[in-house]
Amino acid sequence: MDSQTIHRSVLLDEAVSALVTEPGGRYVDATFGRGGHSRAVLARLAPTGRLIGLDRDPEAIAAARALDDPRFRILHSAFGGIGAALAEAGETEPLNGILLDLGVSSPQLDTAERGFSFSADGPLDMRMDPSRGESAADWLMHAEQQEIARVLREFGEERFAKRIARAICERRAEAPLRTTAELAALVDRAQPGRREPGKHPATRTFQALRIQVNDELGEIERCLDQVCELLAPGGRLVVISFHSLEDRIVKHFMRRESRGAVLPKGVPVTGAPAPGRLRLLGKAQRPSTVESESNPRARSAIMRVAERSTADGAC
């Protein structure tokens, strides 16, 4: 079955409704994937509207180029480089909205050759852009045991990070880990008897390595640092996260930018304090019960929305 057919964008209607406030405006889908959100945005845009897609995955770029719409263009870039990518492409006008659908896409998970999942054996790669950087297998071959344990603990919230890291280093002294099945079996053996119900023992390890290999949290931080400068007054930032590490970064950023300048205690202030650059819109939103039941990958999703203030606040 074609990966584009089985891919289902999470919180599709909710995200697009929050994003598109001006049908004739300019928008960026910074995580194109297979274009579910982009197609829904285009359906709401007027003939004068504009949508720019970003993705670092060559397979996503190929899927985007099949989208025949004069209002749309795709840029091959990680979203952490959103500002430079837009400037290089000559897309310098302020934006009415930016959408981020974080994490890994269903086609990436479901394609064994990409190495994101242990559900089918494949090369231990995990790179969202296979033409850049080092694979998970290569990183595991040279990383220090302490560093591997830190990554598993911080990015995967893995309780047995030290045991798994030690097992990886013992194994690589004999032969390199090259496939997803090899790593999944090693993690299974390294963990003690008690397991999380309904969760494969390697789930947290695979998540952690994927985040490390792709610098996913760094990409989020770099992108968020640029959005206030890119958005027009009243422009929307819509972010869908899939685990607590992502959502924590997004939540703290939005709250910080909504407060405005924070001065030390005791500093005399004359006049009204500078407003924040963002205004929070509503509460964090999760998928409906119906969506979560029909699409298990939606269950952990959480969406946050903020709007660029009409007055320039302090960073």
Side-chain angles (χ1 to χ4, degrees), residues 25-30 52 54 75 77-88 90-100 219-237 253 277-278 307-309 312:
R26 296 166 53 82
Y27 297 88
V28 168
D29 179 353
I52 304 154
L54 267 69
L75 305 178
S77 171
F79 58 81
I82 183 173
L86 292 173
E88 187 176 334
E91 302 283 358
T92 57
E93 294 181 33
L95 301 170
N96 296 95
I98 298 172
L99 171 66
L100 292 170
E219 287 292 321
I220 297 170
E221 291 172 342
R222 287 188 288 274
C223 180
L224 294 178
D225 284 344
Q226 302 172 66
V227 295
C228 290
E229 299 298 333
L230 297 172
L231 287 171
R236 299 281 180 86
L237 171 64
F253 167 79
R277 297 196 294 177
L278 293 178
E307 183 177 271
R308 183 68 165 91
S309 298
D312 284 330

Side-chain angles (χ1 to χ4, degrees), residues 9-308:
S9 298
V10 175
L11 288 163
L12 179 63
D13 293 337
E14 296 87 342
V16 175
S17 295
L19 181 75
V20 180
T21 57
E22 297 288 341
R26 296 166 53 82
Y27 297 88
V28 168
D29 179 353
T31 47
F32 179 83
R34 291 301 182 271
H37 286 112
S38 283
R39 289 178 176 81
V41 169
L42 288 168
R44 293 181 181 236
L45 292 187
T48 54
R50 178 82 168 158
L51 175 64
I52 304 154
L54 267 69
D55 210 295
R56 57 173 156 174
D57 188 331
E59 293 182 7
I61 298 298
R65 286 176 178 153
L67 204 169
D68 185 17
D69 192 310
R71 301 168 299 170
F72 173 77
R73 74 179 295 189
I74 186 69
L75 305 178
H76 189 181
S77 171
F79 58 81
I82 183 173
L86 292 173
E88 187 176 334
E91 302 283 358
T92 57
E93 294 181 33
L95 301 170
N96 296 95
I98 298 172
L99 171 66
L100 292 170
D101 182 11
L102 302 175
V104 66
S105 69
S106 294
Q108 289 169 332
L109 284 172
D110 294 338
T111 304
E113 291 77 17
R114 301 300 301 273
F116 285 99
S117 174
F118 44 77
S119 59
D121 195 18
L124 190 56
D125 194 313
M126 299 193 187
R127 289 174 294 175
M128 292 182 178
D129 184 349
S131 68
R132 303 187 183 193
E134 61 181 353
S135 67
D138 290 340
W139 184 79
L140 286 174
M141 274 303 297
H142 70 75
E144 297 288 340
Q145 181 175 322
Q146 185 176 359
E147 176 68 0
I148 296 173
R150 181 193 66 80
V151 165
L152 299 185
R153 183 176 61 254
E154 294 184 7
F155 297 163
E157 300 175 295
E158 174 57 67
R159 292 181 298 160
F160 306 109
K162 289 184 178 180
R163 295 173 64 116
I164 296 170
R166 182 169 62 251
I168 289 172
C169 291
E170 290 173 352
R171 159 60 193 266
R172 76 185 184 189
E174 301 174 359
L177 283 163
R178 288 300 180 192
T179 72
T180 56
E182 289 174 351
L183 178 59
L186 180 148
V187 174
D188 191 11
R189 292 192 301 269
Q191 291 196 11
R194 293 183 60 186
R195 306 298 171 89
E196 294 180 75
K199 181 175 286 190
H200 191 285
T203 300
R204 295 180 182 274
T205 294
F206 272 68
Q207 173 184 298
L209 292 178
R210 190 200 81 216
I211 292 173
Q212 167 66 24
V213 166
N214 296 290
D215 190 21
E216 292 181 31
L217 303 186
E219 287 292 321
I220 297 170
E221 291 172 342
R222 287 188 288 274
C223 180
L224 294 178
D225 284 344
Q226 302 172 66
V227 295
C228 290
E229 299 298 333
L230 297 172
L231 287 171
R236 299 281 180 86
L237 171 64
V238 179
V239 186
I240 303 171
S241 305
F242 287 85
H243 57 75
S244 60
L245 299 174
E246 295 172 341
D247 183 55
R248 191 177 303 130
I249 293 172
V250 175
K251 177 175 64 175
H252 289 172
F253 167 79
M254 288 185 173
R255 286 181 177 176
R256 182 176 69 249
E257 291 294 347
S258 68
R259 288 197 303 264
V262 179
L263 301 176
K265 292 182 179 180
V267 174
V269 178
T270 58
R277 297 196 294 177
L278 293 178
R279 182 170 68 91
L280 304 182
L281 298 181
K283 297 181 179 179
Q285 187 170 352
R286 295 188 178 275
S288 67
T289 302
V290 172
E291 181 174 9
S292 295
E293 290 178 349
S294 64
N295 181 11
R297 289 175 181 165
R299 291 173 185 168
S300 61
I302 182 167
M303 184 178 80
R304 296 184 187 274
V305 183
E307 183 177 271
R308 183 68 165 91

